[in-house]
Amino acid sequence: MVFDRVETQPAYQLVASMIEKRIMEGTFKPGQQLPSELDLAKQLGVNRSTVREAIRVLEQNGLVFRKSARRLVISVPRQSELASRMSRAMVLHEITFQELWETMLTLETRAAELAALRATEEDVALLDANLAATRECLEHEERLVKLDIEFHLTVARAARNRALLLAREPIGLLFYPAFYKVMSRLNAKDRLLAAHTEIVTGIRGRDPKHTALWMEKHIKDFRRGYELANLDINQPVDASPYGG
Amino acid sequence: MVFDRVETQPAYQLVASMIEKRIMEGTFKPGQQLPSELDLAKQLGVNRSTVREAIRVLEQNGLVFRKSARRLVISVPRQSELASRMSRAMVLHEITFQELWETMLTLETRAAELAALRATEEDVALLDANLAATRECLEHEERLVKLDIEFHLTVARAARNRALLLAREPIGLLFYPAFYKVMSRLNAKDRLLAAHTEIVTGIRGRDPKHTALWMEKHIKDFRRGYELANLDINQPVDASPYGG
């Protein structure tokens, strides 16, 4: 054998990578219009259909947004899109509740601590509104789960750290729905409301220790509930809404 | 106005979503061959070219892998691919060093603690080899950064938590290269070696507190170094290799 097999990359992927590189370097900036298909094809010396396929890839990756049939604009990938992609991968990798729980304990506790240092009056108002709605919904499990997810997201946003937010969102998408199984089997609602109330008290009082402590207790309650409900924490989580 | 504008989704995206749903539900399992283009086109009642475009989308998303021109196999999205996608998004969102640092402090400290509880003899051997190589490379900055990245990844893997690993990787991809700027300006190398040595001692001795404490000190050193080098922690990190 003299030659290794040549590894070819389809032309459209090469073109997509080249455009992406320009976006990452800041030559093409978010909000700017992408040059036309014809222009790009001429500059790059490829067929127009190759450019069209490359643009489709960039659209899929959230780097290009189609405003109208002919107007393509550079965009920034949406956090929600990235998060759902990541949580789908976690399901396919058969990640267990135990793994999610450990990671969530870490991230939510830190988010709570930082939220106590940085929350604005607006954040506190959102948390108060969430608490009030939670009190009203204690008997509506589905609404309660939605409010719980919203509560934790509001705390995380108040931490003013987008890296933390990006890290926790895909885990939260799988973790909180898994908790629905617990909530529907146990009377965990009063404990949930009590913990949320203490967390908001901590944030309002600018007390990072109190806030972090109650978030930690609260996430530890999730695990205890999971075990009390005879669910196996070493089983992979599933992707169906509210844990199936 | 009587009608809202109809929001249409291109047919290939609809087809891609339908196939993805089957993969997520487990009807199509990783490793299995995807039905042929022709088969799918018949079943779904669309053109073959629509199916072809849908498959391209799935390939891009790492859910389908092309073994040969005609053999397409269901696959699981690669962690490295997801991580680089996420870190590209962080750059475009102009995430700051401060945000990355706070998140890394949280994740690496927990990873260190769990590694001390769960590391195998093989993990410890990898860490020992990394330490030995680091001692040899103290004057080669580029190799030192690579070894540093490898060290932290080895610790994180020893924590045996894939959710934690998925959460830290995109942040690590941006965080450690940013530290290169510090390392090349300051004499931080001895402190780095000392911290790594203590972390390995803690893991070998199954001492989660010692390990977590030294990881925390080590990550705090990164930030101090960044500030001592007169770098602004509130500036966005960039995406060029080794922080440009």
Side-chain angles (χ1 to χ4, degrees), chain A residues 13-235:
Chain A
Q13 278 182 9
L14 270 175
V15 170
S17 307
M18 287 169 86
I19 298 174
E20 186 179 316
K21 199 162 163 247
R22 294 281 174 269
I23 297 173
M24 294 308 297
E25 289 169 357
T27 313
F28 292 158
K29 292 197 172 55
Q32 265 184 7
Q33 198 169 336
L34 192 72
S36 72
E37 261 176 38
L38 198 63
D39 251 27
L40 287 168
K42 269 191 199 156
Q43 282 189 45
L44 293 159
V46 295
N47 287 329
R48 223 172 129 163
S49 64
T50 304
V51 172
R52 195 173 303 137
E53 285 176 39
I55 289 172
R56 240 173 230 153
V57 169
L58 295 168
E59 275 187 85
Q60 277 299 315
N61 294 350
L63 291 171
V64 161
F65 176 74
R66 188 175 292 276
K67 281 219 161 173
S68 64
R70 298 199 159 219
R71 251 177 73 80
L72 287 157
V73 171
I74 311 297
S75 62
V76 168
R78 290 198 354 254
Q79 185 188 326
S80 57
E81 170 56 36
L82 282 165
S84 65
R85 201 187 278 270
M86 191 74 113
S87 60
R88 285 194 304 257
M90 288 191 186
V91 170
L92 291 172
H93 281 283
E94 303 193 316
I95 282 183
T96 65
F97 181 80
Q98 162 76 14
E99 289 174 289
L100 286 181
W101 176 81
E102 271 177 10
T103 310
M104 220 47 191
L105 180 66
T106 309
L107 293 170
E108 295 296 71
T109 306
R110 177 75 63 173
E113 191 188 344
L114 295 173
L117 297 170
R118 298 177 188 160
T120 61
E121 279 179 34
E122 204 181 54
D123 294 323
V124 176
L126 285 170
L127 289 169
D128 279 335
N130 181 288
L131 270 187
T134 302
R135 250 177 246 121
E136 299 290 303
C137 285
L138 285 184
E139 299 315 313
H140 301 271
E141 274 157 17
E142 207 161 322
R143 287 174 66 196
L144 199 54
V145 171
K146 278 190 188 142
L147 284 166
D148 185 46
I149 293 172
E150 186 192 272
F151 179 84
H152 287 272
L153 182 60
T154 309
V155 172
R157 283 190 178 139
R160 299 283 174 280
N161 183 319
R162 291 161 302 162
L164 193 65
L165 212 53
L166 275 166
R168 75 171 282 289
E169 190 163 340
I171 302 168
L173 282 177
L174 296 176
F175 180 75
Y176 291 107
F179 182 60
Y180 182 64
K181 294 184 186 172
V182 177
M183 195 123 57
S184 57
R185 292 191 200 184
L186 297 171
N187 201 352
K189 295 152 200 169
D190 293 331
R191 292 181 71 88
L192 179 142
L193 181 60
H196 283 198
T197 306
E198 290 294 338
I199 290 164
V200 176
T201 303
I203 291 175
R204 192 194 318 278
R206 304 241 162 259
D207 185 341
K209 276 199 183 157
H210 183 90
T211 314
L213 184 77
W214 274 96
M215 182 60 91
E216 198 182 328
K217 280 190 197 202
H218 180 43
I219 305 281
K220 284 185 174 169
D221 255 7
F222 275 36
R223 187 184 150 133
R224 206 164 303 127
Y226 210 76
E227 287 173 329
L228 285 173
N230 281 323
L231 294 164
D232 184 353
I233 58 166
N234 294 311
Q235 281 295 308

Side-chain angles (χ1 to χ4, degrees), chain B residues 48-184:
Chain B
R48 225 173 128 162
S49 64
T50 304
V51 172
R52 196 173 303 136
E53 285 176 37
I55 288 172
R56 240 173 231 151
V57 169
L58 295 168
E59 275 187 83
Q60 277 297 318
N61 294 350
L63 291 171
V64 160
F65 176 74
R66 188 175 291 276
K67 282 219 160 174
S68 64
R70 299 203 157 216
R71 251 176 73 79
L72 287 156
V73 171
I74 311 298
S75 62
V76 168
R78 283 183 17 239
Q79 187 187 324
S80 57
E81 169 56 37
L82 282 165
S84 65
R85 199 187 280 270
M86 191 73 112
S87 60
R88 286 194 303 258
M90 287 191 187
V91 170
L92 291 173
H93 281 283
E94 304 193 314
I95 282 184
T96 65
F97 182 81
Q98 161 76 12
E99 289 174 291
L100 287 181
W101 176 82
E102 271 176 11
T103 310
M104 220 47 189
L105 180 66
T106 309
L107 293 170
E108 295 296 70
T109 306
R110 177 74 63 171
E113 191 188 345
L114 295 172
L117 298 170
R118 297 176 189 161
T120 61
E121 279 179 33
E122 204 181 54
D123 294 322
V124 176
L126 286 170
L127 289 169
D128 280 335
N130 181 286
L131 270 187
T134 302
R135 250 177 246 119
E136 299 290 305
C137 286
L138 284 185
E139 297 315 313
H140 300 272
E141 274 159 15
E142 206 160 321
R143 287 172 66 195
L144 199 56
V145 172
K146 277 190 188 143
L147 284 165
D148 186 46
I149 294 172
E150 187 193 272
F151 179 85
H152 286 273
L153 182 59
T154 309
V155 172
R157 282 190 178 138
R160 299 280 175 283
N161 183 320
R162 292 161 301 164
L164 193 65
L165 212 53
L166 275 166
R168 75 172 282 290
E169 191 163 338
I171 301 167
L173 282 176
L174 296 176
F175 180 73
Y176 291 107
F179 182 59
Y180 182 63
K181 295 184 185 172
V182 177
M183 196 124 53
S184 58

